[in-house]
């Protein structure tokens, strides 16, 4: 029962040393991999971030995993993310597979019911996004878009012109 609360100084010292070194390795790897690794997350980025955290925790707390093995695992995850994001910028089907596409939920003041169901978003959530953007009515919104990172973007009603930010959004009539 003593091992539940304290297993000895050696265990604490190992956790301290490996923790500091593994953290330093992770920071170095993240800096090398660039800002994309820490950018606003889509589902793919979230999975990689959770995997990095899980790997770091395993290295810290498992005596069976050496620091070198943990560093290799962290490098592997970051490298795989780098390769996938590099490909997603260059190959359209990889981009669609990894990040998905933005989805129109409201257009010119009208809810797009099929899109709402597909995205599992309620009308109240769309209304909340419109209010948060400072608009008093749904009609004041040109569109509400569910972005690939899960956030809701509200586009205020104005002349669209040729450079509309809505180009490429799925669900546009």
């Amino acid at each position: 029962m003593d091992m539940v609360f304290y297993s000895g100084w050696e265990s604490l010292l190992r956790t301290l040393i490996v923790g500091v070194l593994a953290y330093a390795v992770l920071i170095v790897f993240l800096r090398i991999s660039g800002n994309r690794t820490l950018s606003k997350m889509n589902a793919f980025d979230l999975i990689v971030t959770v995997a990095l955290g899980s790997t770091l925790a395993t290295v810290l707390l498992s005596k069976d995993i050496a620091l070198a093995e943990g560093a290799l695992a962290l490098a592997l995850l970051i490298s795989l993310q780098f390769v996938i994001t590099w490909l997603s910028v260059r190959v359209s089907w990889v981009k669609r597979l990894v990040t998905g596409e933005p989805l129109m939920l409201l257009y010119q003041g009208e809810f797009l019911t099929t899109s709402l169901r597909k995205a599992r978003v309620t009308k109240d959530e769309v209304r909340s996004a419109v209010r948060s953007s400072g608009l008093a009515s749904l009609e004041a919104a040109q569109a509400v878009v569910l972005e690939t990172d899960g956030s809701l973007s509200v586009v205020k009603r104005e002349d669209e012109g040729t450079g509309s930010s809505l180009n490429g959004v799925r669900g546009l009539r």
Side-chain angles (χ1 to χ4, degrees):
M1 190 65 172
D2 291 337
M3 295 294 284
V4 172
F5 297 107
Y6 176 73
S7 61
W9 288 107
E10 182 180 317
S11 177
L12 292 176
L13 186 59
R14 181 206 177 276
T15 302
L16 179 67
I17 292 170
V18 170
V20 169
L21 293 175
Y23 182 77
V25 166
L26 180 58
I27 296 299
V28 168
F29 286 169
L30 289 174
R31 294 304 303 149
I32 290 170
S33 69
N35 291 339
R36 175 65 173 86
T37 308
L38 300 174
S39 67
K40 195 171 186 181
M41 289 188 276
N42 55 44
F44 173 73
D45 297 324
L46 177 63
I47 290 167
V48 172
T49 302
V50 169
L52 286 171
S54 177
T55 302
L56 182 62
T58 301
V59 171
L60 276 172
L61 299 175
S62 176
K63 294 177 183 174
D64 297 332
I65 307 293
L67 178 60
E69 293 169 321
L72 178 61
L74 292 170
L76 176 65
L77 287 170
I78 292 170
S79 297
L80 288 173
Q81 188 204 29
F82 180 85
V83 168
I84 295 296
T85 55
W86 185 88
L87 283 172
S88 71
V89 170
R90 289 160 180 80
V91 182
S92 61
W93 69 266
V94 173
K95 180 183 184 296
R96 282 191 307 275
L97 180 70
V98 172
T99 62
E101 295 175 315
L103 181 63
M104 185 86 60
L105 302 176
L106 179 123
Y107 186 66
Q108 295 182 341
E110 293 183 34
F111 288 105
L112 304 177
T113 314
T114 305
S115 294
L116 287 167
R117 273 193 223 115
K118 183 177 182 176
R120 296 180 317 277
V121 174
T122 66
K123 291 179 180 180
D124 286 338
E125 290 170 316
V126 173
R127 286 185 191 101
S128 175
V130 171
R131 286 191 305 272
S132 293
S133 71
L135 299 179
S137 70
L138 297 178
E139 291 75 25
Q142 176 72 22
V144 175
V145 177
L146 177 63
E147 301 293 352
T148 58
D149 64 2
S151 64
L152 294 176
S153 295
V154 178
V155 179
K156 295 176 184 177
R157 187 179 290 272
E158 293 179 14
D159 292 332
E160 281 189 51
T162 57
S164 174
S165 65
L166 300 176
N167 290 341
V169 175
R170 201 168 28 125
L172 187 58
R173 293 183 187 149

